[in-house]
Structures are given as C-alpha cells and as structure tokens.
Amino acid sequence: MKLVFATHNLNKLQEVSQIVGSNFEITSLEDINCNEDIPETQDTIEGNASQKSFYVFNKFGYNCFADDTGLEIEALDGRPGVYSARYAGEGCNFEDNVVKVMKELKGVTNRAARFKTVISLIINGKEYLFEGIVNGKIIEQEKGDSGFGYDPIFMPNGYNKTFAELSSAEKNKISHRGIVTRKLANFLENL
Ligand code: IMP
C-alpha cells in the first residue's frame, strides 16, 4: 500500500521507511508533487499532526500520516511545547531556542521535561493517533555534539548522557520518535 509521509524532511522519511515494513511504500510529498508548505497553525501537538495529515488527504486523496513534536518543560507549564521549532522567534536557530530555555530555567530546581511526538495516520478518511513520550530533565549546561534541536540539554531518565551524546541508534531506541514510529509500524503490520 502506498502511504504518504506529510513531511519535507528526507531524514525523517528515511528513518521511518526503515522501521515500517516493506508492505508499505512510504512516499514523500515531492513524489506526489506537493511542494508547498503544509499549514501547522494549531495550538497543540496533536492538532498540528492532524492538520497536516488531513491537509494532504483532503487535497491529494492519498492515505497518509504526519508527525509533530514538542519539548514540554514542567516548570514552564509545558512550554516550548507546540512552539518548539520557533521558540525564540521567527527565523531563530536551534541554539537561540536552547539559550532561551536555559535563561528561563535559570535558578529553577524542577528540571523535569519530556519530548512528545504525535503521529496522525489517515487510512481511507479515518484518523488514528499514536503518541511517543520520553521523560527526562534539562541539564544546567549543554553537552554533546550529535543530534539537533534541544538534544544537548535533554538527558533522558536513567541515563547520564544527553541525547546529543548518544549515537543515533541509541537515541532511536528510547526516543519519542522511535517509540511512536514503532507503534505506527506495529499498527500497519496488523492492518
Ligand atoms: P518537528 O515537529 O519534528 O519539526 O519538531 C519541532 C521542533 O522540536 C524541532 O524544530 C526541534 O526544535 C524540536 N525537536 C523535535 N525532535 C527533537 C529531538 O529529537 N531532539 C531535539 N529537539 C527536537
């Protein structure tokens, strides 16, 4: 079955294709000639994932799925959450976001945080939602060079390394995206 992944990120596409079995042909937006930016204007992670998958389904008619991720920090009432990509403002980069979070957490002892990814899958117009969560904490100083985004300041529970100090294979085993992608793959295998 052909399944469109509503993302322009080819790394994500490759990662998911490796986990989802060969019964499914995971197709990019470029393959269906969808070159536009998909709107993500909702105020929840679930809302954005749904908005993106329904956009593709309604406009192009393919079975498809979309994901959305956020870092939720307890002491910041769940921020940056759905605004994780542009937390420090339009045009900001990963480092700007990290700096903003570190500033807001200065002197704060509760460092609990989690990454959450939601996947919205649409098969023949019916939506299925999947969630992957990894709990951890925001450390006091950036550590590690791999990964991206908030990886250098996020230490998963049970580890004394940040995501940016783990290999991508180690990270995938425990990460929000790894968890939710395996849930999706499992569901698709049993369709
Ligand atoms: P997206 O929904 O996958 O595009 O993720 C939104 C934002 O969350 C990204 O721009 C990153 O800032 C952050 N993010 C998502 N996944 C990760 C991760 O695995 N590590 C660190 N930051 C992440």
Side-chain angles (χ1 to χ4, degrees), residues 118-188:
V118 172
I119 287 181
S120 159
L121 167 72
I122 301 177
I123 303 280
N124 302 330
K126 183 167 167 37
E127 183 184 34
Y128 302 88
L129 287 170
F130 305 89
E131 184 180 83
I133 287 176
V134 56
N135 289 297
K137 65 179 177 195
I138 303 299
I139 59 166
E140 303 274 350
Q141 250 170 9
E142 291 182 51
K143 270 168 66 181
D145 310 305
S146 38
F148 67 101
Y150 300 91
D151 278 350
I153 55 169
F154 182 82
M155 189 174 280
N157 286 347
Y159 286 72
N160 60 5
K161 286 180 176 176
T162 65
F163 266 175
E165 293 177 295
L166 297 177
S167 68
S168 59
E170 284 172 313
K171 182 184 164 188
N172 284 342
K173 262 190 227 161
I174 57 167
S175 79
H176 45 302
R177 223 177 349 270
I179 292 168
V180 76
T181 306
R182 286 189 291 275
K183 283 185 186 173
L184 172 73
N186 195 38
F187 177 86
L188 291 173

Side-chain angles (χ1 to χ4, degrees), residues 12 40 52 67-71 84-85 94 97 115 148-151 163 171 175-177:
K12 278 190 188 176
E40 38 183 324
K52 288 186 274 189
D67 72 340
D68 201 59
T69 297
L71 172 67
S84 293
F94 291 143
N97 288 334
F115 274 111
F148 67 101
Y150 300 91
D151 278 350
F163 266 175
K171 182 184 164 188
S175 79
H176 45 302
R177 223 177 349 270

